[in-house]
Amino acid sequence: MPDPSTAAPPFSGSPPSRRVFLESATVLAAGPWVGLAAGCASVSPAGGEGVAEATAPRRAKRRDATLAPGDLALVNRVAWGASAATAAGLDHAGRAAWLQAQLHPGRDTRLPGEAQALIDAMSISTTPFETLVADMEAARRDSDAKAKEASDSAAKQAAQQVYQQALTKVAREAASRSLLRALYSPNQLQEQMTWFWFNHFNVHQYKSNLRVMVGDYEDRALRPRALGRFRDLLIASATHPAMIRYLDNEQNAAGRINENYAREVMELHTLGVAGGYSQKDVQELARVLTGLGINLGDKTPDLRANQRDLYVRQGLTEFNPGRHDMGEKVVLGQSIAGRGWNEVLDELGRLAAHPQTARFVSRKLAEYFAADAPPPALVVRMAQAFSGSEGDIAVTLGAMFEAPEFGATLGRKFKDPMHYVVSAVRLAYDDRPIQNTGPMLGWLARLGESPYNRQTPDGYPLDESAWASPGQMATRFEIARAIGSGSAGLFRPEGASADAPAFPRLASAFFYESIEPTLSAGTRSALDHATSPQEWNVFLLSSPEFMMR
């Protein structure tokens, strides 16, 4: 057996390729590898934890719920990764009942006490959205005034930085809330679908003041409708100030048409790029959408007498009939009379019900949940369910989960960064809520999939090729080492100087009874050769099997 102190790590030199990475378990089995990537030191017990041992972890004696391999694979696909708590829920309810509960979650969305307390203390929880936006607008005006009066560039920058930092704090709270829900919510499918729909109806946080809006957009527009009807979801997205501002529809007015939102709602949100529409359809839809904008103040615009009854105000969203093109339009071959707000809603509803939308949305769902190139028969099943249920998302997903084509894909979908990071922390700290999501946000930033940070409206890519580069693999090894070797900053409360003691006990009864039987002989051998609990954890979190869902 090679001496661990002299054996070269299997990925010495350049960062590992996807192929080399997936062969790593066999290499590890040949001798205990003590480095994660080129130049990495061996994994040693974390100082100050008081829980590390000098040898590989012993088999856990406590018995947890045991999942058959097929059920474990389903949990890894429906949830943000397997955990003992999720396994217990499926084991108690049975596969069919558990899946129905995920498709039709209850209204109680509270998390375990410590995690819920973190959310409850956030300003986005204690301050109404409209008030928060008004406060930020006041801060912006104050910042601009101080910057204007500043005597030098440094003072001007300092004045503007106060406002920018306030916006960033609000967006960071929203991202932290989203991660805590992904980690600990019993409604795992709803949380996955909330992420999916944000990515589908993407907005970028760094445009204008969207950092103060993204949390409300996610929480009040998307999450409640994530498993409902697509029509309702589309309208909620279209009429939220975050989307209106991101795609410039507040600049869209009669005589001054802005096509940005009209184009993207056809290309990215409903029909798809090959959906059979023309540039003329985009222009006509933009006319339909004129007048849909934002009002951050408390004043109603001056309107003619015959327009006042057509004015609509919902929170910060405004429909101003004085800016609306009341002429007749023709979209996708159908004439549309100028009627104002209801004209907007009806046309969005017609797009949502279009057969091409059923195909496009079903394929994108299948690409996310099943395979980068989903089986055509699966997409057909889903599109039929979508159309037959008037766009019911839960019904569409149910048809997918029950399809034999879906079952054949289980365990074969490569994890994007969000799935990798969340599934690792879920497995490591399922029974102990973390206190700080900062490390997770840092890891996601390094991997290129930060919350709310995709600049373009197409959202983050869903295919393996986008996330399996050598650089990505090297970074995942470093993240596995950080999580596997200690608390990794996850238990350092905001403002504290040190972590609370914590160590991920991944070698649990759940692992031995449910996960271990699904591992390859090479991975099991590598784990058997681990020389410490830290090294064992790292081997598991960087194994080929853990990269898949």
Side-chain angles (χ1 to χ4, degrees), residues 61-74:
K61 295 181 179 179
R62 182 177 63 83
R63 185 171 182 80
D64 283 341
T66 302
L67 295 183
D71 288 342
L72 179 67
L74 180 68

Side-chain angles (χ1 to χ4, degrees), residues 358-391:
R359 291 187 285 270
F360 177 71
V361 172
S362 293
R363 192 190 189 286
K364 193 166 182 182
L365 285 167
E367 183 184 354
Y368 177 76
F369 277 104
D372 292 355
L378 176 61
V379 177
V380 169
R381 289 177 192 270
M382 295 171 65
Q384 290 172 342
F386 185 100
S387 296
S389 64
E390 298 182 344

Side-chain angles (χ1 to χ4, degrees), residues 111-453:
L111 308 186
E114 292 178 67
Q116 188 62 47
L118 291 174
I119 293 176
D120 291 344
M122 295 175 179
S123 65
I124 56 175
S125 299
T126 60
T127 307
F129 171 59
E130 291 77 10
T131 303
L132 201 57
V133 173
D135 291 345
M136 289 296 158
E137 282 297 290
R140 179 188 61 79
R141 291 190 295 269
D142 182 64
S143 173
D144 289 348
K146 289 180 178 178
K148 188 175 182 180
E149 297 170 358
S151 57
D152 55 60
S153 59
K156 180 176 181 179
Q157 183 177 5
Q160 293 173 333
Q161 191 173 26
V162 172
Y163 170 62
Q164 294 298 325
Q165 288 176 340
L167 284 177
T168 298
K169 177 180 181 294
V170 175
R172 186 181 175 90
E173 284 187 350
S176 294
R177 177 178 63 186
S178 181
L179 287 175
L180 288 169
R181 286 172 168 165
L183 289 170
Y184 301 113
S185 173
N187 301 327
Q188 283 288 292
L189 182 59
Q190 182 181 31
E191 295 309 317
Q192 276 221 73
M193 291 306 300
T194 300
W195 188 95
F196 173 87
W197 291 125
F198 193 105
N199 199 54
H200 182 79
F201 299 108
N202 184 56
V203 302
H204 183 231
Q205 64 177 341
Y206 286 110
K207 180 168 183 176
S208 186
N209 66 340
L210 259 65
R211 275 169 286 174
V212 75
M213 296 183 178
V214 289
D216 186 81
Y217 177 60
E218 178 182 62
D219 194 50
R220 291 204 299 174
L222 305 182
R223 178 174 281 106
R225 301 168 181 84
L227 290 164
R229 294 195 183 278
F230 183 75
R231 176 188 184 277
D232 299 336
L233 186 66
L234 175 64
I235 290 173
S237 168
T239 58
H240 193 280
M243 179 60 74
I244 294 171
R245 175 151 289 180
Y246 175 60
L247 288 178
D248 304 316
N249 209 73
E250 61 184 324
Q251 301 174 25
N252 186 23
R256 299 192 306 278
I257 297 297
N258 186 300
E259 301 173 5
N260 285 0
Y261 178 67
R263 178 177 295 105
E264 305 304 353
V265 77
M266 284 184 156
E267 178 180 331
L268 298 177
H269 300 169
T270 57
L271 305 176
V273 68
Y277 61 90
S278 66
Q279 173 60 20
K280 181 64 173 177
D281 289 318
V282 172
Q283 293 168 345
E284 292 290 276
L285 179 60
R287 291 178 60 209
V288 171
L289 296 168
T290 51
L292 176 61
I294 301 172
N295 187 339
L296 301 185
D298 55 6
K299 294 182 180 180
T300 301
D302 292 332
L303 298 170
R304 295 194 300 268
N306 65 340
Q307 295 176 331
R308 291 170 190 160
D309 288 343
L310 297 176
Y311 178 77
V312 176
R313 178 75 183 265
Q314 295 180 353
L316 302 181
T317 298
E318 173 183 81
F319 179 78
N320 183 345
R323 293 168 57 84
H324 182 66
D325 184 337
M326 293 298 290
E328 184 177 349
K329 302 95 177 172
V330 179
V331 179
L332 299 173
Q334 180 169 322
S335 296
I336 302 166
R339 296 182 293 116
W341 175 251
N342 288 332
E343 173 191 347
V344 173
L345 300 186
D346 288 350
E347 189 55 26
L348 289 172
R350 194 163 73 90
L351 285 174
H354 197 283
Q356 186 58 36
T357 298
R359 291 187 285 270
F360 177 71
V361 172
S362 293
R363 192 190 189 286
K364 193 166 182 182
L365 285 167
E367 183 184 354
Y368 177 76
F369 277 104
D372 292 355
L378 176 61
V379 177
V380 169
R381 289 177 192 270
M382 295 171 65
Q384 290 172 342
F386 185 100
S387 296
S389 64
E390 298 182 344
D392 190 308
I393 298 163
V395 170
T396 305
L397 291 176
M400 178 183 68
F401 293 145
E402 293 172 3
E405 297 90 351
F406 174 77
T409 72
L410 292 176
R412 300 180 180 181
K413 177 74 174 167
F414 189 73
K415 292 178 181 177
D416 62 276
M418 179 72 173
H419 277 98
Y420 177 72
V421 169
V422 174
S423 63
V425 178
R426 269 176 63 78
L427 188 61
Y429 293 112
D430 173 51
D431 59 347
R432 183 180 178 184
I434 64 171
Q435 295 296 303
N436 190 342
T437 61
M440 296 179 70
L441 292 172
W443 298 330
L444 289 169
R446 292 181 62 194
L447 291 169
E449 202 176 29
S450 292
Y452 324 132
N453 209 35

